[in-house]
Amino acid sequence: MKIVKSKRPIRPFFHKSLKWVFWVSISLYVSTSLLINHVPNTKPTSNNTHHHQLLPTNPKTRSSRFVPRALFESTPQKPLQKPKPTINLDLKIYIYELPEQYNSDWLSNDRCSTHLFASEVAIHSALMGSEVRTLDPYEADFFFVPVYLNCNFSTENGFPSTHQSRGLISSAVRFVSSNMPFWNRSDGADHVFVASHDYGPCFHSIEGDAIRDGIPEVLRKSIFLQTFGVTFRHTCQEAEHVLIPPYVPPGSLRSTEEGFPVDGKRVIPAFFRGKVEVHPKNFSGRVYSKGVRTMIWRKFKRNRKFFYLRRHRIEDYQSEIRRSVFCLCPLGWAPWSPRLVESVALGCVPVIIADGIRLPFSETVRWPEISLTVAERDVGKLGRILRHVANTNLTTIQRNLWDPAKTGALLFNDRVESGDATWHVIRSLRERLIHRSYRRTLISANEHVTRQTD
């Protein structure tokens, strides 16, 4: 029988496999190329930082005013991380047990421990549970005098009244100097007070009155933890002092951050809410905010596409900060403001308008990297300045604000935590050990005598 061969060619198995591998390779090559070409360039360069795509502020209308897209892009939720446990800073602080009339009696008013001057309460509370506290005054390097000077709230305007401050603190000095020997041996040079009001140890809210009365004579050798600081010579910072931030309750900041969407966008380009004198009056020879807030209001209140300005505080004030790109921090009666802390903590770029202001803990919080400073005389150019920043280095500033160490340094916790505001106070005191601690001075003197006799 004749066998007829099939005319259909038999394709080897390896030929089919080769064809399959070829098409898979082509597909992978195309897919990979597309992925590579669409990876965003997250590293800013000198070219792309100056040429943001611009979008109209109102998509429904055509306008000659444009706002950089960067203003409205979402920023990551800022982590208000709980600080690490405290570390030993190698010094000891004795805390006087004063009669309740000097401190705890005032706590019957809840505002005493939560308002912007409440660092006096927060520092006292944190030190009480700190490992630097000693119960033996003879081994102490410093002596903390816990007097609450800012809890006597005025019935007229609700603000802390300072009229009793000088009498109260002088009374406390008489108490500690008559009951224990430590004040008298150093004339109070190793004693620490908190002076968290507008002009610190001058105990006045108006600068003219503060300069006139100055620091009480009995306190001139002591150390003050104060919010007031300027770069030029001033009567109210002539005593030894540590510059501290104003008090903002950490709990309120965390609640604001946690209640905000993770991908929430900052939809307010420039924000300010606070006291504004529409027709500023001359009060004791001084105009409120040196007229700066009034100028901002008059110049920009109608520019609602870029500036969100309000004259009265509201309950969810911090949520407005969280939704803002730039937060204006103009001076009031004093140069400093709690807005500085709130802005940094909530990721809004602080715009500081207070000539000569000195800011706290600059060794940790590098303010030029996370804020803008605008001279008081240039406040009329504020819109132009902020738009320029938005088109250039806004992204870099926002990235610097992300560092939780900067936020931590500005907040007072219930207990001293490594890197928080009270920790920085203790570290600053440690830097003054040799010159201010009576005990360390004695130790150094004895060591010197021993070396000479040897």
Side-chain angles (χ1 to χ4, degrees):
M1 185 175 77
K2 188 177 179 179
I3 300 176
V4 180
K5 292 184 180 180
S6 174
K7 295 182 179 180
R8 183 180 180 182
I10 301 175
R11 296 180 180 179
F13 175 77
F14 79 91
H15 184 262
K16 293 182 179 180
S17 300
L18 184 62
K19 183 177 181 181
W20 181 83
V21 170
F22 173 78
W23 284 110
V24 169
S25 301
I26 292 294
S27 300
L28 286 175
Y29 173 80
V30 173
S31 301
T32 305
S33 300
L34 289 173
L35 286 173
I36 292 174
N37 289 334
H38 284 80
V39 174
N41 181 17
T42 58
K43 185 176 180 180
T45 65
S46 58
N47 292 328
N48 62 25
T49 55
H50 291 275
H51 299 286
H52 292 286
Q53 181 181 354
L54 302 182
L55 296 177
T57 56
N58 186 348
K60 296 181 181 180
T61 61
R62 297 185 65 85
S63 170
S64 60
R65 294 190 179 191
F66 292 87
V67 180
R69 181 177 180 180
L71 291 179
F72 299 101
E73 292 177 349
S74 61
T75 55
Q77 199 171 36
K78 184 163 180 146
L80 291 177
Q81 298 177 352
K82 191 172 182 181
K84 299 175 183 177
T86 185
I87 61 174
N88 188 357
L89 290 175
D90 189 29
L91 84 165
K92 293 297 180 182
I93 299 175
Y94 179 80
I95 303 172
Y96 283 108
E97 294 184 13
L98 300 181
E100 294 180 351
Q101 68 195 59
Y102 293 102
N103 41 57
S104 59
D105 276 354
W106 296 103
L107 295 176
S108 58
N109 188 330
D110 291 340
R111 285 187 64 202
C112 183
S113 58
T114 58
H115 69 116
L116 73 162
F117 303 130
S119 54
E120 58 186 8
V121 180
I123 293 172
H124 180 202
S125 176
L127 289 178
M128 287 290 286
S130 170
E131 60 192 54
V132 301
R133 183 191 179 192
T134 178
L135 300 178
D136 181 1
Y138 288 95
E139 71 171 16
D141 297 301
F142 295 102
F143 296 80
F144 184 76
V145 188
V147 186
Y148 299 170
L149 301 171
N150 299 294
C151 291
N152 183 20
F153 298 100
S154 170
T155 55
E156 295 181 4
N157 56 28
F159 296 124
S161 174
T162 58
H163 73 271
Q164 96 293 352
S165 297
R166 288 173 175 264
L168 191 62
I169 200 167
S170 296
S171 174
V173 170
R174 286 194 296 271
F175 179 85
V176 300
S177 61
S178 60
N179 285 279
M180 302 185 81
F182 307 105
W183 176 279
N184 296 323
R185 71 182 186 181
S186 67
D187 288 331
D190 50 2
H191 283 56
V192 182
F193 299 84
V194 180
S196 54
H197 208 278
D198 290 305
Y199 288 94
C202 288
F203 307 115
H204 280 293
S205 57
I206 305 300
E207 186 174 21
D209 297 336
I211 293 174
R212 182 197 64 219
D213 291 345
I215 301 172
E217 188 65 33
V218 70
L219 299 171
R220 287 184 174 274
K221 293 185 178 181
S222 298
I223 303 171
F224 290 96
L225 313 179
Q226 62 185 72
T227 45
F228 172 73
V230 288
T231 56
F232 49 87
R233 185 175 180 180
H234 198 286
T235 301
C236 300
Q237 60 181 18
E238 288 180 350
E240 185 72 21
H241 62 279
V242 175
L243 204 58
I244 62 174
Y247 182 79
V248 176
S252 68
L253 295 170
R254 291 192 180 96
S255 296
T256 299
E257 194 64 71
E258 290 168 0
F260 204 79
V262 175
D263 60 346
K265 295 184 178 181
R266 296 187 180 271
V267 296
I268 303 173
F271 170 71
F272 174 79
R273 182 183 286 277
K275 179 180 178 181
V276 175
E277 295 285 358
V278 179
H279 303 289
K281 307 173 185 65
N282 188 306
F283 187 78
S284 297
R286 188 176 178 216
V287 175
Y288 180 68
S289 187
K290 298 182 181 178
V292 168
R293 296 190 184 192
T294 303
M295 172 64 78
I296 293 172
W297 178 260
R298 290 177 179 173
K299 179 81 174 177
F300 303 110
K301 66 179 179 180
R302 291 184 178 84
N303 185 357
R304 295 186 179 92
K305 293 180 179 179
F306 195 86
F307 287 90
Y308 184 85
L309 308 177
R310 296 294 184 271
R311 296 178 56 205
H312 304 288
R313 293 286 287 263
I314 59 174
E315 190 172 344
D316 64 343
Y317 160 76
Q318 289 183 353
S319 69
E320 293 176 317
I321 293 177
R322 181 59 181 83
R323 302 200 310 273
S324 301
V325 178
F326 296 107
C327 288
L328 309 187
C329 303
L331 71 162
W333 285 122
W336 61 271
S337 163
R339 292 176 184 83
L340 291 167
V341 176
E342 292 167 323
S343 300
V344 172
L346 295 173
C348 183
V349 179
V351 182
I352 303 167
I353 312 170
D355 292 353
I357 188 174
R358 198 155 50 90
L359 298 166
F361 308 143
S362 56
E363 69 279 6
T364 298
V365 184
R366 302 195 180 280
W367 291 96
E369 297 177 1
I370 63 170
S371 65
L372 304 178
T373 299
V374 177
E376 294 167 15
R377 67 176 180 272
D378 292 332
V379 72
K381 306 173 186 175
L382 199 53
R384 193 189 321 161
I385 292 170
L386 297 185
R387 290 174 191 276
H388 172 74
V389 173
N391 279 318
T392 54
N393 60 335
L394 173 60
T395 304
T396 301
I397 298 173
Q398 289 177 325
R399 188 183 303 115
N400 293 335
L401 274 172
W402 180 253
D403 183 2
K406 295 179 174 63
T407 298
L410 301 177
L411 298 179
F412 294 96
N413 295 292
D414 294 335
R415 297 179 64 87
V416 181
E417 305 285 354
S418 180
D420 76 354
T422 309
W423 183 90
H424 277 80
V425 166
I426 296 171
R427 189 176 76 167
S428 297
L429 291 175
R430 191 182 184 284
E431 294 170 355
R432 292 160 171 80
L433 274 176
I434 297 177
H435 303 292
R436 285 286 176 161
S437 171
Y438 181 85
R439 186 178 75 90
R440 297 293 177 111
T441 302
L442 285 180
I443 292 173
S444 298
N446 290 335
E447 290 176 349
H448 179 71
V449 170
T450 302
R451 285 196 298 268
Q452 286 187 331
T453 55
D454 290 345

